[in-house]
Amino acid sequence: MNKKPGFIRWWGLIPFVVVTGLIAGFLLLFLDSLIESTIEEQGSQALGAQVDVASVKTSLLDHSIEIRGIEIANAEKLDENIIEVGNFTFNFDLNQAFSKKLIIDELTADGIAFNTTRKTPARPVKKPAKKKETPEEEEADDSSSGPGFGGLDALKGMQFKSPKEILESEKLETLERVKEVREDVKATKAKWEDRIQNRYGKGAIDEIKQKIDGIKQRAKKISGPGDVQALTADIQSLRGDIEGRVDEIKNLKSELKAETEKAQALVRDLKDLPRKDLERLKSKYSLDLKGGTGMVGALVAGPLKDHLNKARRYYEKAKPYLKKKKEPVVPEPETPERGKGLTIEFLKPKPTPDFLVRHGKLSITLFGQDVSGDLKDLSDNQKIHGKPMVVKFDAGNNPKFDRFNLDLTVDRTGTAGRDTLKTRIEGLKLSGFETGKAVKVEQGGADIKSTFNIVSEEALTGNINVQTRDMNMKWTQSGSGELADIMQKTLNSVSRFYLNFLVSGTVNDYAVKVESDLDKTLNRAIRGVFDDKVKEFEGKLNAAILEKTKGPLKDSTGAVSNLVDLRKLLDSRESSLQNLLGEATQKALLPKLPGPAGDLLKQFKLPF
């Protein structure tokens, strides 16, 4: 007889209990460490920086997770954390979790701090391949150096070099031009010396003298009319040669005079070049006290863009998590034809995003003070959820500031996304505040307001207004010598100023316009401090330039005097030829001869 089966089928229950126990044991033993390692590994890859978690505690009964000691390193400064969270706790909907949805009704994050020092440097994380950044982006991302507060860091590299150091490193236009003029005059002198030597040199004069002596000797041996005719022709030819050379010399003297005057003009122009060299070097090495706008613009636009670029990179990383891929369009049901029946659908549950935080309590450390805030409706699909994400912080009077407000709205519920960030700090107390590598605020106060808007995740507009008061600043740049004393005196004269930054463009390509009364304040202060120093520096530089150019300028004048000497040489050669022309006459070359020769000469009437 077969035994009737019992109500409980032990052969099936026992394996179920064993498997369930194994799964529960695994979760109890390894779930926390699995979550911890997943956060560290996946977070590091997603953010491109090392993510550390101190501990994870999971309670499936309470549907809660507590994460302690979250640290996200700064990929550009491995000994620093971008953000640190002391304690992160939330409750989740277990039923939704089985549908691969993380729905959090309440979240708490305490001990949030920014830019903290790590106990040990982080490991660099290899970033996934991406398109190469443009040179503008690379330059904008370089925040390792830049001008500091109030434009004063922009002056830290400016030193009063000695005139000797300047002239050792700079080329003087005067010396370059002197060299060119001297080469030109030298070539002109060589050309004229060659022309004079070839046709009007001492050898040419001696040759004419020899011809005259030859005619004189032949005249003593005249034996007939033929000899007289030959002598007469030679004398006429010799006189024509001499007269031609005299005319040539006169033309050459006129030509040489023009070239000499041109060279003299070049030398006169050289005398003005030391002044031009002085003006050029003054503009480069002396202080330009006109218009501090460029100084303040360079000073604040640079550091501000460094911070905005960092915020842009974090914004780009966060965008994918704030919206899901486009949901498939569900067609509206068609109206059935008459008589073909009607399809009745039961009420479906309201769709929910895959990720949702309904409410969160946040606590951050700002200027060393704890500030509490609220997070509402953080989701990955606001169109389904129907609400934008909102973050609000509000803190009252404390030792560091009188009031702090922050309102952040990330809205993806409409066709065009709109993100808005508003902050306000009243009565911020500055003490020992490092503003850059060269300036430190010992004591002071400031009110800061800012508003930023991003439309369609692209168009960016923003405004930051800073009002300072009772500022006591110190110049900390070491090894700056005389400049340190000058800059400290300048800082002592500045007690209050305002800065206004206007940001416009796109998230990836924007411009920062700076408005400030600090320009005029620094301009007045620096002018009063620097005037005497600038005059002294420029006087020494002028003396050094004149000393270095004095010798070459004198040599240039001497080179031109050589051309004047050549003209004197032509005058001498002309005089010699005129004397020789006087010798080449009948009276001089054909004197009265005794006997038949003398009687024969009387028969000729010579024109000379």
Side-chain angles (χ1 to χ4, degrees):
M1 179 177 177
N2 293 330
K3 185 178 180 182
K4 186 177 180 180
F7 180 74
I8 299 176
R9 295 174 177 164
W10 296 101
W11 58 268
L13 178 61
I14 293 174
F16 174 77
V17 172
V18 172
V19 172
T20 302
L22 290 174
I23 293 174
F26 175 82
L27 293 177
L28 290 173
L29 294 175
F30 302 108
L31 180 60
D32 292 347
S33 60
L34 181 62
I35 294 176
E36 179 181 330
S37 61
T38 301
I39 293 174
E40 291 181 337
E41 292 175 7
Q42 297 299 321
S44 297
Q45 289 300 319
L47 299 175
Q50 181 176 328
V51 176
D52 295 304
V53 175
S55 65
V56 174
K57 184 178 180 181
T58 306
S59 175
L60 297 179
L61 295 178
D62 295 334
H63 306 165
S64 66
I65 296 178
E66 180 182 12
I67 307 173
R68 290 183 174 275
I70 303 174
E71 295 183 2
I72 301 177
N74 186 340
E76 297 174 357
K77 294 181 67 176
L78 297 178
D79 60 346
E80 182 180 281
N81 286 322
I82 291 177
I83 186 172
E84 183 178 318
V85 182
N87 185 45
F88 187 79
T89 305
F90 61 89
N91 297 319
F92 60 92
D93 189 324
L94 186 60
N95 292 328
Q96 294 282 4
F98 286 116
S99 300
K100 296 183 179 180
K101 295 177 181 286
L102 181 58
I103 309 299
I104 299 172
D105 289 325
E106 191 68 31
L107 175 150
T108 302
D110 296 326
I112 303 174
F114 303 93
N115 301 323
T116 59
T117 302
R118 292 179 59 91
K119 294 180 180 178
T120 57
R123 299 182 305 275
V125 176
K126 185 177 181 181
K127 298 181 181 180
K130 63 177 181 177
K131 66 176 184 178
K132 188 174 181 181
E133 293 180 328
T134 62
E136 291 80 5
E137 289 174 325
E138 291 176 353
E139 180 180 356
D141 289 346
D142 183 10
S143 59
S144 60
S145 63
F149 178 79
L152 300 178
D153 267 353
L155 300 177
K156 65 179 173 30
M158 184 186 63
Q159 299 285 353
F160 283 110
K161 284 188 174 182
S162 70
K164 181 179 178 181
E165 291 175 319
I166 293 173
L167 297 184
E168 285 176 351
S169 61
E170 293 285 345
K171 287 185 178 180
L172 293 179
E173 183 184 349
T174 303
L175 297 183
E176 296 294 316
R177 185 58 182 149
V178 162
K179 183 179 179 181
E180 294 175 3
V181 170
R182 289 175 64 181
E183 291 295 329
D184 185 59
V185 172
K186 182 179 178 181
T188 302
K189 178 175 177 289
K191 177 186 73 174
W192 279 97
E193 286 178 339
D194 185 62
R195 294 179 66 180
I196 293 172
Q197 183 63 30
N198 288 340
R199 188 160 173 79
Y200 314 104
K202 188 174 182 301
I205 299 298
D206 290 342
E207 183 181 351
I208 294 174
K209 288 181 178 181
Q210 290 175 3
K211 288 181 179 181
I212 291 175
D213 290 339
I215 291 174
K216 287 181 178 180
Q217 294 299 323
R218 288 167 55 198
K220 294 178 181 180
K221 299 176 181 180
I222 293 175
S223 60
D227 293 338
V228 174
Q229 289 178 350
L231 284 173
T232 301
D234 289 344
I235 292 173
Q236 287 179 331
S237 175
L238 180 60
R239 287 181 63 84
D241 181 32
I242 295 173
E243 288 173 350
R245 295 187 187 227
V246 170
D247 291 340
E248 287 177 6
I249 287 178
K250 289 180 180 179
N251 292 333
L252 288 177
K253 286 169 60 177
S254 177
E255 185 180 343
L256 179 58
K257 179 182 178 183
E259 292 200 22
T260 301
E261 289 176 349
K262 179 182 177 182
Q264 289 172 334
L266 291 176
V267 172
R268 283 195 300 271
D269 291 342
L270 293 177
K271 295 180 181 179
D272 193 47
L273 292 182
R275 180 185 61 80
K276 293 182 179 179
D277 277 324
L278 175 64
E279 294 301 322
R280 178 175 60 85
L281 296 179
K282 276 169 52 178
S283 66
K284 184 173 182 178
Y285 290 96
S286 189
L287 193 63
D288 181 9
L289 301 180
K290 298 178 181 178
T293 302
M295 182 168 57
V296 174
L299 99 124
V300 280
L304 177 61
K305 290 197 79 170
D306 288 340
H307 293 298
L308 290 178
N309 283 327
K310 287 183 179 180
R312 171 182 64 83
R313 293 197 294 272
Y314 299 141
Y315 178 79
E316 293 291 342
K317 290 179 179 180
K319 279 198 304 184
Y321 303 100
L322 296 176
K323 63 178 182 179
K324 286 287 288 182
K325 293 182 179 179
K326 202 169 184 181
E327 295 289 331
V329 178
V330 179
E332 295 182 0
E334 298 181 0
T335 303
E337 295 181 13
R338 183 180 181 85
K340 288 193 174 182
L342 180 65
T343 300
I344 300 176
E345 294 184 357
F346 291 98
L347 182 64
K348 295 181 179 180
K350 184 179 179 181
T352 58
D354 290 345
F355 173 74
L356 172 64
V357 177
R358 300 187 191 280
H359 181 258
K361 294 181 180 180
L362 309 177
S363 176
I364 66 173
T365 301
L366 184 68
F367 299 108
Q369 306 297 312
D370 292 331
V371 178
S372 299
D374 290 283
L375 164 71
K376 293 182 179 180
D377 301 304
L378 171 60
S379 71
D380 66 343
N381 196 328
Q382 293 185 5
K383 292 185 183 297
I384 290 180
H385 185 55
K387 296 179 182 179
M389 182 191 80
V390 177
V391 178
K392 289 182 178 291
F393 284 93
D394 193 352
N397 190 25
N398 62 61
K400 280 294 183 179
F401 50 81
D402 297 337
R403 194 79 187 175
F404 171 74
N405 299 100
L406 182 147
D407 290 289
L408 171 64
T409 301
V410 178
D411 190 348
R412 300 289 188 279
T413 59
T415 56
R418 178 176 291 274
D419 305 327
T420 303
L421 172 64
K422 295 181 179 180
T423 62
R424 183 184 185 95
I425 304 178
E426 296 179 355
L428 177 61
K429 300 171 182 63
L430 303 173
S431 178
F433 185 68
E434 298 285 350
T435 62
K437 295 180 179 179
V439 179
K440 179 180 180 181
V441 178
E442 298 282 2
Q443 197 172 20
D447 296 329
I448 305 172
K449 294 189 298 182
S450 71
T451 300
F452 284 89
N453 292 288
I454 300 176
V455 178
S456 298
E457 302 179 6
E458 185 67 18
L460 169 66
T461 58
N463 173 261
I464 303 175
N465 182 269
V466 182
Q467 299 279 350
T468 68
R469 58 186 174 276
D470 303 324
M471 298 293 282
N472 180 9
M473 295 177 286
K474 181 180 179 181
W475 180 261
T476 60
Q477 183 69 26
S478 60
S480 52
E482 185 178 15
L483 181 62
D485 179 62
I486 294 172
M487 291 313 306
Q488 188 58 57
K489 290 180 180 178
T490 302
L491 293 175
N492 290 342
S493 66
V494 179
S495 61
R496 62 189 303 140
F497 54 87
Y498 80 87
L499 295 168
N500 194 48
F501 309 96
L502 300 175
V503 183
S504 60
T506 66
V507 172
N508 293 311
D509 184 15
Y510 58 88
V512 178
K513 181 181 178 182
V514 183
E515 298 173 349
S516 176
D517 61 349
L518 187 58
D519 287 336
K520 294 180 180 179
T521 304
L522 287 176
N523 193 29
R524 288 194 300 267
I526 294 176
R527 182 175 295 279
V529 175
F530 272 45
D531 268 353
D532 292 340
K533 295 290 183 183
V534 170
K535 288 179 181 178
E536 179 184 354
F537 166 76
E538 292 176 356
K540 290 180 178 179
L541 180 60
N542 185 44
I545 291 174
L546 292 178
E547 180 63 28
K548 190 167 184 176
T549 58
K550 178 174 63 175
L553 287 173
K554 184 177 180 181
D555 292 343
S556 298
T557 303
V560 174
S561 66
N562 291 333
L563 295 180
V564 176
D565 292 339
L566 288 178
R567 187 177 177 186
K568 292 179 180 178
L569 178 60
L570 285 176
D571 288 337
S572 174
R573 293 292 186 265
E574 182 184 8
S575 177
S576 298
L577 290 172
Q578 290 288 4
N579 291 335
L580 292 175
L581 186 61
E583 294 182 21
T585 62
Q586 177 186 7
K587 185 176 181 181
L589 297 178
L590 301 175
K592 292 181 179 181
L593 297 175
D599 296 335
L600 186 59
L601 284 174
K602 291 178 182 180
Q603 299 176 13
F604 290 88
K605 296 293 185 181
L606 301 178
F608 49 82

